[in-house]
Amino acid sequence: MSKFTRRGLIKTSATVGAGLAMPTFITSPLAAYTNAPTGGSVTLGFNVPQSGPYADEGADELRAYKLAVEHLNGGGDGGMMNTFSSKSLTGNGILGKKVEYVTGDTQTKSDAARASAKSMIEKDGAVMITGGSSSGVAIAVQGLCQEAGVIFMAGLTHSNDTTGKDKKANGFRHFFNGYMSGAALAPVLEARYGKDRNAYHLTADYTWGWTQQESIQAATEAKGWNTVNNVLTPLATTDFSSYVAPVLNSGADVLVLNHYGGNMINSLTSAVQFGLRDKMVNGKNFEIVVPLYSRLMARGAGENVKGIFGSTNWHWSLSDEGSKAFVKSFGTKYGFPPSQAAHTTYVQTLLYADACERSGTFNPCGVSEALEGFKFDGMGNGPTEYRAEDHQCFKDVLVVKGKENPTSEFDVLEVVEITPRSQVEYAVDHPMFAGGALGKCNPGA
Amino acid sequence: MNTISKADMKTLFFVAIIALLAPFILNPFPTDSGLAQFNAGYPDLMQRFAIYGILAIGFNILFGLTGYLSFGHAAFLGVGSYSAVWMFKLLSMNIIPALILSVIVAGLFSLLIGFISLRRSGIYFSILTLAFAQMSFALAYSVLTPLTNGETGLQITLNDPRILAAENVSGNLPVTTLFGLEMRDTWAMQVGAWDFQFNIGYYICAIFLLLAFYLSIRIFRSPFGMMLRAVKTNQNRLNYTGINTRPYTLAAFVISGMYAGLAGGLMASMDPLAGAERMQWTASGEIVLMTILGGTGTLLGPVMGAGFIKYFENIFSKINDTVLHGWFSWMPDGLENIIVWVLHLFTGKGWHLTLGIMFMLIVIFLPGGLMEGMSRIGNWWKRRKGDDDAESKSTTTAAE
Amino acid sequence: MINTPDNSEPSRPIYFSAHDIHAYYGESYIVQGISLNVHEGEILALLGRNGAGKTSTLRAIARLDDPAIHKGEIWLDHQPLHNMKAWEAAQAGIALVPEDRRVIQGLTVEENLQLAQIEKPIGWSLERIYELFPRLGERRKQEGTTLSGGEQQMLAIGRALARDIKLLLLDEPYEGLAPVIVQEIEKTLRLIREQGITTIIVEQNAVAALKLADRAVILDTGGVVFSGTAKEVLENEKLRHDYLAI
Amino acid sequence: MDAILLQILNGLDKGSAYALIALGLTLIFGTLGVVNFAHGALFMLGAFCAVSLQKLVAVSKITIDPSQVDFLGNPLKVKTPYVIEWFGPKIGNAIIDWNVPLAIIIAIPVMLLIGYVMERGLIKHFYKRPHADQILVTFGLAIVIQELVKANFGANPIPTPAPDQFVGSFNVGALIGLDASYPYWRLIYFAFSALIISSVFAFLRFTTFGMVVRAGMADRETVGLLGINIDRRFTIMFGIAAAVAGLAGVMYTPINSPNYHMGMDFLVLSFVVVVVGGMGSLPGAVSAGFLLGILESFASMNEVKGFFEMLYLPSIDQIIIYLVAIIVLLTRPRGLMGKAGVMEE
């Protein structure tokens, strides 16, 4: 055999009679893409953190996925399928095939996430992978899906890079990003705290932190703010006291915490302990801003979040029909309201299913075509568009603040403003998103 | 050099057979059965078994022979991965130059770290290696981002120069190859309800595993290996006799670092990504656990330990409630729910718990690790066979 | 391995007996079937060349973890010691003064002595010990390990006397000491003999030991090769030449 | 000057946690010769004593209030904690508010018991096993403990605030003519740690029990020869070490919300601390803990970071602890105060 191809092997093995050879990663004689569903069902891969610090967020994502699967298969009350502007989903699975799923643990580590995604693709025949609770993992898995020829529907990932320099043709992000946070927050901050402010940034010292810090700094400086300092904090920091203490005498009157998860809880707690919020600097009240909020994580900071501004992708207290339908079916099933992570993963699953229906195939290239430039509504974020050029969803962004008088343990944030989509949009070639190429959709050949 | 003994030859042969037939052995359950969840015979996991096997074999040359417990070996794995991915970005997608660079860079890196750390022994040595590895991790995660791509990990992109490769016109990311043989190529063989996958990448890893294993046998049996063992039992006495042990331990350190580099390079070759967390202390700890769990100082043990941990990580973590319900759906509802509730503590998101319990059980009851378990089973089998023979003899005599 | 019968005067009852002791350091078989009998108030010298197993025998009798006894029985004043741990044996009345004295680091002289009086049975009071060794009294607040070799030996012996002991095991009490100090220790040992404390003494310096002892047992490669009175040893040229090199 | 004072305070605070855990690790290692990788888990369990008490005092009577609705539009279930029901709002709220200090009272017996059970049930069988086996089994135990806590309390941090009186900060600097406010609870944490550390040292130094333990740490065999059952005392010391770690955990909760893996976060650093201090040396462990805490704080100062950046060492705060560990171990073979021959093989 001069060329060791799959087809060659298939022929030989067929003549030997050992059975039909079916390549997994690559084009099979029957279908033109990886893991084409053959029986009466289709398998989706839900790859979420189940161990490590983001396990609770992962668990909430998983709940949303299960709910989405239930709805797709015609169970439950249908949730957002009823409010979704596209009506191609009918509750009989996807393209008539019953939806099944496999789950895996990303451990919030690129390696483990890729291993888990690979096993879903190679062993379980998953045709779409979704999930993730950090940008590093999302980008790593997105790259893998591009190589393997399956669709990746990103879960919670906020870094500009996911649809910026690391964008991939097979990957799609519903969640908002650092740039959008900055663009949405800056006007609100200007309105509340004035034009003449000196900001001090504490930033998680890795790519996500950097991109978010860059976005917020640019957006606030455009409103007239001055950036006093930007201090990078190591990821492993648990006690932020030594980073917070110098803020007191720096002349700054706003502290921006570009942290997420455990880092955010700990840095915010330290900042409040040091009494920053009770300070008067330059004749103004000292303020703290947490650009990216997660309700689940905000709970960990307890009382400290009260009155602190931030942005979020979605919040359960929204009163549009889509949000209400989703909160109702999620709340009825699990007894508490969904998180933004749950929302985005639920929506991503429905969007994927809908794209399959509309294109009439599970082929990633078909699905991708159906998603590119797709405009929809009724999913809780108002009119939304999946931009074709970078596979980023454009929609309204919520500016929230920690609620002063919560009525329940879930009532941590209140929405102060819904920033319209037009205000957070940016050009495809915006410098913060430059470099990298989408490439072509890969069906796995 | 002495030739390889018959017993060692047998072990090597055994490993070779297992490696060759792994796609069958690891896939004992029909694809449609509920137990298919326990099948491990898919390319990625088989590759991991082989790669972590190489890593553990290398670690065992240091720890098993000299007793020096390095808590920083993951750094060499990481360095190997980064080197390999850089070769893919700059040169071509051929894995050979990538692997060569991985081994060389890891070797140099371990020479540097080993040279400094081996000035101390015991736990002081362990902490020195840990400190170096943690520093490497922290730097790779943030400061060295231009070189490592930080949190996201180093990946190949369409824009990479790849000076030796033909121009990429497909618009898709190129794949790693061995002179045109694609690592991801897999062909599947269906036999009845079974589905066996044969993957080129896995077999390449398996070949390296066998080479690594063979080399480790040679090292274990060589005068150099004897010297290392002597270091373990009594370094002071050796020093009194005027023998400087440092060159020997340093050599062992570098060899095991190169093994780790090879493993890192292979990992990147199977999946062209290198992440910083590969260098974290938890990753180093995992290597230590693999070795102890399998049986320190034994030839085969570390490979088994590696397989054991990777199996749990990849198989148990995927057993979710739905799968459990699927298994026990034949039971009455109440009982089913109780059983699923109990089991779900140990599977899916609870897989760490099972792993922790297994660690404890193995160390408590099998002080020599899995290898001791194997030899106990072997002895029991022999004894039972012996008893059977004796019994059958006695019964025959009685009958007469 | 010769197991010489005990030829002591039958009138006195046997107070301590070790019967057919086999003990191991890990895999190595060190004490290979040793039997000893000692009468109350008697001093027994345990002699033999380096590596004959003397220290190991004492350690086995004191029930330290190493060497571990795999077979054999030890009885002291009708109590079985062979199933005991070291601390139980000590409470049953055994005291070992080890070869390297083992004065405890970080503790003062007084604390070293106090340590011996934590568990019952308690022997001499500290005052009485300081009377016997005035030098210890002078240095009671000093850290034990800063004492000279002779003083450390006194402390080790004092520590044994601070307990109410039935059998004293002395391992190389003269080792590494200047002749002047040896005399002083010798005086002390005589004093102990006058107290009527049953003692087994291991000593490289056989002549010195035999001066003190009533009877002697000679060991070689882990077994007993001779057992008799001290006088017999001193008179038997061949024995001295073969096993004691004196 | 203000900044330096603040960083010293921060360093002492960080150092307190390191020192307390390292002290316990060294106590266990020095007495039992066991390398206890589950020590971080004990610290975490202490913190979860406070969380458990918080949950316990929050156990509520549920009444349905039809005038309010929950997020699904159903009548709101209003929760009144039983402690308020029973003791009235004043005492009830005070109990809820003073949860963390109250947890200390609970944590002491609980942690002593956990330590005792752990030692008798598991560790005891590993005295004579190689250190590698001890590491593996205690690491396994740590995972099991962590996962059980996670299964019960979830993975997210759980806020456990200090009593209201101690919220806010106090101008420490004013005492010496500077201006430097420092949070009350962090000052309390440092004072508490200093108290615990000095109590442990006083206990070892001035009590008979302590003398026996010190003697046992120095020469276990000889202590046995004096009729003392040292194992029994060491078991108690294990309990004490567990209690020290647990108390460190309880008091730490208001500083950072506890989560199930906080122990692992501290474990590795604590080992570095112990080794830098020198294996087997209690004063070494404590002083290394404070030293590393202070150096870590200084390394995170902008001025210091800038200085090292000029020396082509950016982000010195990322690596400072490890760098210091390397320098100390290369210049002093056995750490700051280590004993010869202890774990050098």
Side-chain angles (χ1 to χ4, degrees):
Chain A
M1 232 183 311
S2 61
K3 204 165 160 251
F4 188 75
T5 65
R6 297 155 291 275
R7 270 169 232 280
L9 268 171
I10 291 157
K11 271 187 213 130
T12 25
S13 53
T15 44
V16 173
L20 180 67
M22 278 262 300
T24 45
F25 245 52
I26 45 276
T27 325
S28 85
L30 298 171
Y33 56 95
T34 303
N35 288 336
T38 46
S41 66
V42 55
T43 306
L44 309 182
F46 300 149
N47 203 13
V48 301
Q50 301 193 48
S51 53
Y54 296 108
D56 281 4
E57 211 154 57
D60 218 42
E61 291 184 357
L62 214 46
R63 288 185 199 107
Y65 282 130
K66 285 181 187 162
L67 189 69
V69 169
E70 187 181 313
H71 291 169
L72 287 173
N73 286 334
D77 59 8
M80 273 198 269
M81 265 164 55
N82 305 319
T83 58
F84 188 19
S85 58
S86 169
K87 294 294 168 203
S88 42
L89 292 171
T90 52
N92 66 341
I94 308 175
L95 293 172
K97 290 181 194 291
K98 184 167 183 278
V99 181
E100 283 177 356
Y101 65 90
V102 287
T103 59
D105 182 8
T106 66
Q107 304 177 39
T108 320
K109 291 179 187 163
S110 316
D111 266 346
R114 268 170 91 114
S116 168
K118 274 187 145 186
S119 98
M120 291 171 174
I121 298 168
E122 292 173 354
K123 181 182 169 193
D124 307 309
V127 67
M128 180 272 270
I129 303 291
T130 172
S133 202
S134 92
S135 292
V137 164
I139 289 168
V141 176
Q142 179 164 280
L144 172 82
C145 291
Q146 179 70 36
E147 285 159 35
V150 297
I151 289 284
F152 175 64
M153 302 296 281
L156 199 157
T157 155
H158 187 251
S159 172
N160 290 350
D161 292 346
T162 313
T163 47
K165 82 176 171 49
D166 290 313
K167 56 179 172 276
K168 293 284 183 312
N170 283 28
F172 291 86
R173 167 160 71 176
H174 173 263
F175 208 70
F176 71 146
N177 57 39
Y179 176 88
M180 294 173 165
S181 284
L185 266 173
V188 178
L189 294 179
E190 184 198 12
R192 304 284 169 131
Y193 300 149
K195 273 187 185 300
D196 179 27
R197 281 283 185 171
N198 294 309
Y200 191 107
H201 287 252
L202 286 182
T203 304
D205 193 2
Y206 59 86
T207 33
W208 169 76
W210 301 342
T211 61
Q212 170 166 308
Q213 194 278 332
E214 190 188 8
S215 306
I216 306 287
Q217 178 170 349
T220 50
E221 282 182 356
K223 299 285 176 196
W225 284 26
N226 172 37
T227 307
V228 177
N229 207 342
N230 174 32
V231 175
L232 302 174
T233 62
L235 172 77
T237 311
T238 48
D239 185 349
F240 285 85
S241 55
S242 50
Y243 295 96
V244 168
V247 178
L248 289 165
N249 302 320
S250 67
D253 46 32
V254 176
L255 173 65
V256 182
L257 297 173
N258 297 301
H259 289 138
Y260 188 67
N263 273 353
M264 184 277 268
I265 296 174
N266 292 339
S267 65
L268 179 58
T269 308
S270 285
V272 174
Q273 276 169 4
F274 272 83
L276 289 185
R277 306 196 58 196
D278 315 323
K279 286 269 171 209
M280 293 291 287
V281 181
N282 312 330
K284 291 183 258 315
N285 241 334
F286 194 98
E287 304 292 348
I288 301 174
V289 178
V290 176
L292 176 61
Y293 251 133
S294 142
R295 175 178 58 81
L296 283 177
M297 284 298 176
R299 264 172 78 183
E303 303 261 299
N304 300 326
V305 300
K306 284 185 178 177
I308 287 177
F309 281 94
S311 65
T312 184
N313 192 51
W314 178 83
H315 193 254
W316 61 267
S317 64
L318 289 174
S319 57
D320 61 289
E321 289 310 310
S323 299
K324 271 158 63 186
F326 179 52
V327 172
K328 180 159 175 288
S329 53
F330 190 99
T332 315
K333 189 168 165 120
Y334 301 112
F336 43 82
S339 64
Q340 62 170 350
H343 170 257
T344 204
T345 51
Y346 177 90
V347 171
Q348 285 280 68
T349 315
L350 254 50
L351 284 173
Y352 171 79
D354 175 68
C356 293
E357 290 282 351
R358 285 186 293 113
S359 63
T361 175
F362 291 101
N363 186 326
C365 288
V367 175
S368 170
E369 213 181 299
L371 279 172
E372 284 180 349
F374 179 50
K375 295 188 172 74
F376 60 94
D377 198 357
M379 299 289 246
N381 300 102
T384 308
E385 179 184 353
Y386 245 126
R387 183 153 77 181
E389 290 81 1
D390 56 4
H391 296 184
Q392 168 70 47
C393 258
F394 285 87
K395 53 190 164 40
D396 302 345
V397 172
L398 304 184
V399 176
V400 291
K401 89 173 182 189
K403 205 163 185 177
E404 296 287 355
N405 295 306
T407 55
S408 72
E409 53 179 316
F410 316 112
D411 194 19
V412 182
L413 303 177
E414 67 180 311
V415 179
V416 287
E417 189 161 314
I418 301 177
T419 307
R421 175 180 143 190
S422 58
Q423 208 175 306
V424 299
E425 256 171 310
Y426 53 87
V428 182
D429 55 356
H430 190 283
M432 287 185 199
F433 296 82
L438 202 58
K440 276 193 218 150
C441 79
N442 178 16
Chain B
M1 239 183 162
N2 49 346
T3 50
I4 193 161
S5 78
K6 220 172 149 191
D8 289 337
M9 208 58 214
K10 252 166 89 182
T11 323
L12 185 66
F13 188 67
F14 172 72
V15 175
I17 294 290
I18 299 271
L20 191 69
L21 299 180
F24 294 107
I25 297 167
L26 294 172
N27 254 5
F29 306 110
T31 315
D32 289 333
S33 71
L35 292 174
Q37 199 77 35
F38 290 110
N39 283 342
Y42 60 95
D44 182 62
L45 189 52
M46 289 193 292
Q47 290 163 5
R48 266 165 220 276
F49 284 161
I51 291 170
Y52 280 93
I54 294 172
L55 185 59
I57 290 172
F59 184 75
N60 195 36
I61 291 176
L62 178 69
F63 179 50
L65 285 180
T66 68
Y68 274 82
L69 180 58
S70 160
F71 252 102
H73 253 53
F76 309 130
L77 181 82
V79 164
S81 296
Y82 283 126
S83 313
V85 176
W86 270 113
M87 284 310 248
F88 295 140
K89 288 172 89 74
L90 297 177
L91 220 54
S92 76
M93 296 303 285
N94 195 325
I95 63 169
I96 293 299
L99 290 178
I100 292 173
L101 188 73
S102 309
V103 173
I104 291 175
V105 173
L108 291 175
F109 197 50
S110 55
L111 183 66
L112 178 73
I113 292 183
F115 183 75
I116 302 173
S117 304
L118 283 165
R119 297 162 67 93
R120 299 289 172 260
S121 58
I123 195 150
Y124 298 100
F125 166 81
S126 303
I127 294 292
L128 278 173
T129 51
L130 173 84
F132 279 114
Q134 279 294 84
M135 274 169 53
S136 312
F137 162 70
L139 295 178
Y141 203 90
S142 62
V143 180
L144 296 177
T145 295
L147 212 57
T148 60
N149 207 22
E151 172 209 17
T152 318
L154 193 63
Q155 296 193 43
I156 52 168
T157 67
L158 287 170
N159 314 340
D160 293 331
R162 263 184 290 282
I163 47 174
L164 291 186
E167 202 182 340
N168 184 353
V169 285
S170 70
N172 271 317
L173 290 174
V175 293
T176 47
T177 64
L178 177 67
F179 303 111
L181 216 55
E182 292 190 1
M183 289 303 112
R184 65 182 194 184
D185 271 4
T186 306
W187 62 280
M189 185 169 86
Q190 281 177 335
V191 182
W194 284 268
D195 190 2
F196 303 110
Q197 301 185 39
F198 300 87
N199 169 266
I200 293 192
Y202 164 68
Y203 279 102
I204 303 267
C205 292
I207 289 168
F208 276 107
L209 175 70
L210 287 176
L211 287 175
F213 194 72
Y214 174 74
L215 189 63
S216 113
I217 294 180
R218 294 303 294 252
I219 292 174
F220 266 61
R221 305 295 180 234
S222 69
F224 171 65
M226 296 299 159
M227 190 67 201
L228 294 179
R229 270 182 236 257
V231 171
K232 185 176 186 177
T233 39
N234 202 334
Q235 179 150 22
N236 287 338
R237 192 173 298 166
L238 283 175
N239 287 337
Y240 292 144
T241 52
I243 299 169
N244 183 5
T245 56
R246 186 86 64 79
Y248 293 91
T249 45
L250 184 58
F253 192 88
V254 173
I255 290 172
S256 78
M258 287 163 85
Y259 265 79
L262 174 68
L266 275 172
M267 226 184 237
S269 301
M270 296 306 118
D271 183 4
L273 167 117
E277 71 254 26
R278 238 170 241 183
M279 307 172 96
Q280 218 177 348
W281 76 269
T282 43
S284 293
E286 196 180 63
I287 307 172
V288 178
L289 294 178
M290 283 171 180
T291 311
I292 306 173
L293 203 61
T296 315
T298 62
L299 282 167
L300 209 50
V303 187
M304 289 170 57
F308 183 89
I309 291 185
K310 286 293 139 190
Y311 185 84
F312 267 87
E313 182 178 335
N314 287 281
I315 301 294
F316 265 67
S317 66
K318 287 183 68 192
I319 302 174
N320 55 39
D321 287 7
T322 319
V323 175
L324 290 175
H325 277 291
W327 290 348
F328 298 103
S329 56
W330 50 273
M331 287 184 170
D333 262 6
L335 190 62
E336 179 189 333
N337 287 336
I338 293 171
I339 293 211
V340 169
W341 184 83
V342 171
L343 286 182
H344 105 263
L345 271 177
F346 298 95
T347 57
K349 64 181 178 193
W351 68 272
H352 264 118
L353 181 60
T354 317
L355 192 67
I357 293 174
M358 294 307 291
F359 280 176
M360 291 178 68
L361 291 179
I362 289 173
V363 196
I364 293 169
F365 297 108
L366 299 172
L370 291 170
M371 275 309 281
E372 181 169 332
M374 289 273 280
S375 64
R376 276 195 203 175
I377 293 173
N379 287 341
W380 174 78
W381 185 249
K382 266 185 221 150
R383 232 181 304 130
R384 212 185 75 139
K385 248 174 84 184
D387 286 355
D388 280 357
D389 289 350
E391 228 168 78
S392 57
K393 230 181 204 166
S394 63
T395 44
T396 38
T397 35
E400 281 163 9
Chain C
M1 181 167 53
I2 314 150
N3 213 341
T4 334
D6 183 50
N7 56 354
S8 53
E9 310 119 85
S11 57
R12 289 163 73 188
I14 288 172
Y15 189 59
F16 168 82
S17 91
H19 180 71
D20 198 19
I21 303 291
H22 299 259
Y24 294 73
Y25 281 102
E27 298 282 295
S28 33
Y29 184 23
I30 300 297
V31 179
Q32 308 177 348
I34 285 177
S35 298
L36 299 170
N37 287 321
V38 188
H39 301 106
E40 192 166 3
E42 189 178 52
I43 295 184
L44 177 77
L46 201 56
L47 306 174
R49 276 194 292 244
N50 251 344
K54 301 174 306 242
T55 297
S56 303
T57 307
L58 287 196
R59 289 175 60 90
I61 292 170
R63 305 302 299 111
L64 288 168
D65 291 346
D66 285 314
I69 296 184
H70 288 201
K71 191 177 161 229
E73 290 188 4
I74 304 172
W75 292 85
L76 173 65
D77 191 17
H78 311 293
Q79 305 168 89
L81 297 189
H82 40 271
N83 292 327
M84 289 184 181
K85 292 197 163 118
W87 62 272
E88 291 168 315
Q91 290 190 2
I94 293 251
L96 170 67
V97 178
E99 187 179 356
D100 43 3
R101 287 107 205 191
R102 301 292 273 271
V103 171
I104 290 169
Q105 210 188 2
L107 265 59
T108 61
V109 170
E110 185 145 296
E111 283 177 324
N112 261 288
L113 294 173
Q114 280 170 345
L115 201 62
Q117 302 200 324
I118 284 173
E119 295 290 346
K120 284 180 180 134
I122 292 166
W124 287 23
S125 68
L126 296 195
E127 285 71 39
R128 197 170 157 202
I129 294 170
Y130 291 146
E131 238 168 73
L132 180 62
F133 303 114
R135 272 207 255 172
L136 292 185
E138 289 158 24
R139 291 166 169 71
R140 64 176 80 182
K141 292 290 169 209
Q142 198 174 320
E143 190 177 329
T145 44
T146 61
L147 298 179
S148 71
E151 290 162 345
Q152 289 200 22
Q153 185 63 52
M154 292 172 194
L155 179 56
I157 294 171
R159 201 165 59 183
L161 295 175
R163 301 193 51 71
D164 184 16
I165 50 177
K166 292 181 171 155
L167 176 67
L168 177 63
L169 307 172
L170 283 172
D171 197 359
E172 309 267 4
Y174 302 140
E175 203 215 350
L177 301 181
V180 196
I181 315 273
V182 168
Q183 282 177 9
E184 204 166 326
I185 300 289
E186 225 170 353
K187 240 193 285 173
T188 315
L189 294 185
R190 256 186 232 113
L191 201 84
I192 288 174
R193 188 163 112 153
E194 282 157 27
Q195 301 292 321
I197 296 173
T198 317
T199 304
I200 300 179
I201 177 168
V202 160
E203 186 48 64
Q204 203 59 246
N205 181 351
V207 180
L210 290 168
K211 268 202 275 179
L212 208 65
D214 303 303
R215 284 191 311 115
V217 166
I218 300 177
L219 300 185
D220 195 51
T221 55
V224 176
V225 288
F226 171 85
S227 174
T229 63
K231 216 172 135 214
E232 280 173 321
V233 181
L234 286 168
E235 285 165 359
N236 188 332
E237 189 97 11
K238 187 176 174 339
L239 205 60
R240 282 163 53 192
H241 180 263
D242 285 357
Y243 298 111
L244 303 175
I246 48 172
Chain D
M1 273 315 284
D2 300 347
I4 291 174
L5 174 65
L6 277 175
Q7 294 303 3
I8 290 174
L9 288 170
N10 279 326
L12 291 175
D13 226 48
K14 271 182 219 185
S16 300
Y18 296 153
L20 282 176
I21 301 176
L23 179 70
L25 273 172
T26 306
L27 271 180
I28 292 173
F29 180 77
T31 50
L32 305 174
V34 169
V35 180
N36 182 21
F37 259 59
H39 208 66
L42 293 173
F43 172 72
M44 181 268 289
L45 279 178
F48 274 84
C49 282
V51 173
S52 306
L53 183 68
Q54 188 186 39
K55 300 247 174 220
L56 196 70
V57 294
V59 171
S60 302
K61 196 170 108 175
I62 294 172
T63 45
I64 293 188
D65 178 0
S67 67
Q68 297 181 61
V69 289
D70 69 1
F71 72 99
L72 288 174
N74 301 324
L76 188 69
K77 290 172 185 150
V78 179
K79 292 177 176 175
T80 331
Y82 281 109
V83 283
I84 293 181
E85 278 273 305
W86 295 336
F87 305 113
K90 206 173 161 208
I91 299 177
N93 279 322
I95 292 176
I96 292 172
D97 190 29
W98 280 74
N99 155 58
V100 171
L102 285 175
I104 293 175
I105 303 166
I106 295 179
I108 293 173
V110 168
M111 294 308 296
L112 281 173
L113 183 73
I114 289 174
Y116 184 84
V117 170
M118 207 169 127
E119 201 277 338
R120 285 292 91 182
L122 184 71
I123 307 286
K124 151 176 122 166
H125 306 289
F126 280 81
Y127 291 164
K128 291 195 173 167
R129 300 273 292 269
H131 289 306
D133 284 8
Q134 299 170 350
I135 290 174
L136 187 58
V137 82
T138 49
F139 189 69
L141 181 66
I143 294 178
V144 170
I145 294 174
Q146 270 192 10
E147 290 301 308
L148 291 177
V149 168
K150 180 182 151 201
N152 259 306
F153 295 93
N156 271 347
I158 300 165
T160 1
D164 285 340
Q165 278 96 322
F166 303 119
V167 171
S169 53
F170 167 72
N171 196 340
V172 195
L175 301 176
I176 50 169
L178 295 170
D179 176 34
S181 292
Y182 205 72
Y184 277 119
W185 190 263
R186 285 177 181 264
L187 292 170
I188 291 174
Y189 190 71
F190 171 62
F192 181 81
S193 308
L195 179 74
I196 295 278
I197 291 169
S198 33
S199 311
V200 169
F201 277 93
F203 177 70
L204 289 175
R205 191 84 202 84
F206 301 116
T207 65
T208 310
F209 189 96
M211 180 184 80
V212 173
V213 170
R214 272 188 296 139
M217 285 168 79
D219 187 345
R220 185 190 170 88
E221 198 175 81
T222 304
V223 174
L225 285 174
L226 300 176
I228 297 169
N229 178 2
I230 195 71
D231 285 358
R232 195 170 59 88
R233 273 123 173 139
F234 281 177
T235 305
I236 295 170
M237 281 317 289
F238 192 98
I240 291 175
V244 167
L247 289 179
V250 171
M251 293 297 284
Y252 194 72
T253 52
I255 292 181
N256 276 330
S257 305
N259 56 36
Y260 80 100
H261 57 89
M262 64 191 290
M264 280 292 177
D265 296 344
F266 271 93
L267 178 75
V268 168
L269 278 180
S270 306
F271 262 102
V272 174
V273 167
V274 167
V275 173
V276 167
M279 283 310 282
S281 162
L282 292 172
V286 171
S287 42
F290 285 114
L291 175 73
L292 289 181
I294 289 174
L295 287 177
E296 197 186 358
S297 286
F298 277 113
S300 56
M301 286 174 76
N302 298 333
E303 294 79 4
V304 178
K305 280 176 91 167
F307 174 73
F308 277 97
E309 217 161 309
M310 285 193 322
L311 303 177
Y312 298 100
L313 265 174
S315 295
I316 184 75
D317 48 344
Q318 296 260 14
I319 53 170
I320 179 75
I321 288 210
Y322 301 106
L323 202 60
V324 172
I326 290 169
I327 294 170
V328 169
L329 293 185
L330 289 181
T331 49
R332 295 189 59 93
R334 284 178 280 273
L336 297 174
M337 308 181 187
K339 286 184 199 155
V342 182
M343 268 200 95
E344 282 192 272
E345 276 155 27

